[in-house]
C-alpha cells in the first residue's frame, strides 16, 4: 500500500517521548517546579529543563514566576491545548475520530459527597472565585469551601463583580475565612492557589490530596481585566477538575 505522505501530527512527536509523556502526566495533576519534576521523574535537571522547553515551544506547557520566590518558576499544563491537539491527531488518522467529548459527571452514587478546599493568602479573590465556580458547575454533588492563610477584611469588589457579570454568581454577602476555622474538617482535595499559601499551608487531617494551582494575585493591581483573566483561568481549571473528582482518592501531595 502506498504511503499517504501525510506528516505526523506534532502532538504525537512531543508526547511519544517517554520522558515528555511522564512530564505531561505529572503536570496533569497540578502546577510544579522544575526541582519537583526532577524528583518525580528521576532524571537530571538539565534533561528535564530541555524537554520542558520543547513542551513549551509546542504550546502544551507554560511557565510563570513564583510569587513566593521570584527566582523559581511553576510549570502548568494547558489541558485545553492538549485536548485540541489530541483531537487534531485523531482527525489526521480518520475524520470519524474527531468526536466531541464532554467531561463525565460527578458520581452521584457515592456514599458521601466529595469535599474540596481552596486556599489562597487573603481569601478575597482567587479562592472564593474557585469556590463559587466549582459550586456552579458541580452543584450540591461536591462540598466546596475556601479559606485564607491571612484573610483580608472583605472580598475584593472586582472578584464580586466578575463572578456576577461573567458567571451569574452572587457572592456579595460572603466574608473571607481563616484557614484555621475550617482546617479540622475532612477534605478529599486541598488546592492551594497562590505560591505563598502553598508554602505555609499545614498538613490537614485525613490526608487529603494536595494540588497546587499557581495563579497570580489580581488584587495586586486595580485592573478589572486582570480579575477577568484570572476568573477565566480558574474556570478552565475547575472544568478539568470535575472528571478528576469522579475518581478522587485520599492521598498526600508528594513534596520533594
Amino acid at each position: 500500500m502506498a504511503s499517504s505522505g501525510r506528516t505526523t501530527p506534532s502532538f504525537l512527536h512531543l508526547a511519544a517521548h517517554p520522558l515528555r509523556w511522564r512530564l505531561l502526566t505529572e503536570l496533569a495533576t497540578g502546577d510544579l517546579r522544575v526541582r519537583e519534576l526532577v524528583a518525580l521523574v528521576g532524571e537530571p535537571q538539565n534533561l528535564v529543563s530541555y524537554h520542558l522547553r520543547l513542551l513549551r515551544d509546542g504550546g502544551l506547557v507554560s511557565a510563570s514566576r513564583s510569587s513566593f520566590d521570584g527566582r523559581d518558576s511553576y510549570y502548568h499544563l494547558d489541558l485545553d491545548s492538549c485536548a485540541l491537539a489530541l483531537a487534531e491527531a485523531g482527525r489526521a488518522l480518520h475524520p470519524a475520530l474527531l468526536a466531541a467529548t464532554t467531561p463525565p459527571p460527578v458520581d452521584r452514587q457515592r456514599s458521601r459527597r466529595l469535599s474540596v478546599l481552596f486556599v489562597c493568602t487573603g481569601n478575597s479573590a482567587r479562592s472564593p472565585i474557585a469556590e463559587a465556580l466549582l459550586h456552579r458547575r458541580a452543584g450540591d454533588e461536591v462540598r466546596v469551601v475556601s479559606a485564607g492563610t491571612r484573610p483580608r477584611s472583605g472580598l475584593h469588589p472586582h472578584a464580586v463583580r466578575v463572578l456576577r457579570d461573567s458567571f451569574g454568581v452572587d457572592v456579595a454577602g460572603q466574608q473571607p475565612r481563616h484557614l484555621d476555622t475550617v482546617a479540622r474538617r475532612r477534605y478529599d482535595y486541598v488546592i492551594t492557589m497562590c505560591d505563598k499559601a502553598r508554602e505555609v499551608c499545614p498538613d490537614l487531617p485525613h490526608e487529603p490530596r494536595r494540588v497546587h494551582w499557581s495563579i497570580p494575585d489580581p488584587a495586586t493591581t486595580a485592573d478589572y481585566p486582570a480579575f477577568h483573566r484570572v476568573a477565566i483561568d480558574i474556570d478552565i481549571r475547575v472544568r478539568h477538575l470535575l472528571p478528576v473528582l469522579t475518581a478522587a482518592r485520599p492521598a498526600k501531595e508528594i513534596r520533594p
Side-chain angles (χ1 to χ4, degrees), residues 129 157-169 224 227-229 231-232:
I129 288 174
H158 286 342
V160 176
R161 175 185 166 191
V162 75
L163 285 171
R164 182 190 65 235
D165 293 353
S166 298
F167 301 96
V169 178
Y224 175 75
F227 281 79
H228 187 264
R229 289 192 296 271
I232 294 299

Side-chain angles (χ1 to χ4, degrees), residues 192-254:
T192 48
M193 306 194 66
C194 74
D195 305 332
K196 292 180 181 179
R198 185 195 189 197
E199 298 300 326
V200 301
C201 184
D203 291 331
L204 300 181
H206 311 296
E207 299 185 335
R209 174 78 178 267
R210 292 283 292 270
V211 173
H212 182 57
W213 295 352
S214 182
I215 297 175
D217 184 5
T220 58
T221 174
D223 182 21
Y224 175 75
F227 281 79
H228 187 264
R229 289 192 296 271
V230 163
I232 294 299
D233 181 15
I234 292 173
D235 192 49
I236 291 171
R237 292 173 184 257
V238 163
R239 173 164 52 83
H240 289 302
L241 176 65
L242 283 175
V244 176
L245 292 178
T246 65
R249 294 292 185 271
K252 285 185 177 179
E253 178 190 33
I254 298 174

Side-chain angles (χ1 to χ4, degrees), residues 45-158:
Q45 180 169 329
N46 61 340
L47 185 62
V48 170
S49 296
Y50 168 75
H51 286 287
L52 283 172
R53 180 175 62 81
L54 295 180
L55 293 172
R56 290 179 64 184
D57 291 346
L60 303 181
V61 169
S62 61
S64 61
R65 287 290 181 184
S66 168
S67 60
F68 180 77
D69 181 357
R71 298 170 298 179
D72 216 342
S73 294
Y74 276 95
Y75 286 83
H76 169 67
L77 178 63
D78 188 334
L79 286 169
D80 276 351
S81 291
C82 288
L84 179 61
L86 279 168
E88 290 297 330
R91 183 171 64 179
L93 182 60
H94 192 282
L97 298 180
L98 183 63
T101 60
T102 57
V106 175
D107 188 355
R108 298 175 182 271
Q109 303 301 316
R110 288 183 176 271
S111 59
R112 65 176 178 85
R113 287 189 301 166
L114 290 171
S115 183
V116 177
L117 171 64
F118 290 105
V119 181
C120 68
T121 301
N123 193 220
S124 64
R126 288 165 291 184
S127 57
I129 288 174
E131 176 187 5
L133 294 180
L134 179 54
H135 187 267
R136 173 177 174 266
R137 287 187 175 274
D140 294 334
E141 302 305 320
V142 178
R143 184 169 64 88
V144 193
V145 181
S146 70
T149 56
R150 298 180 62 184
R152 297 184 180 274
S153 59
L155 297 188
H156 196 289
H158 286 342

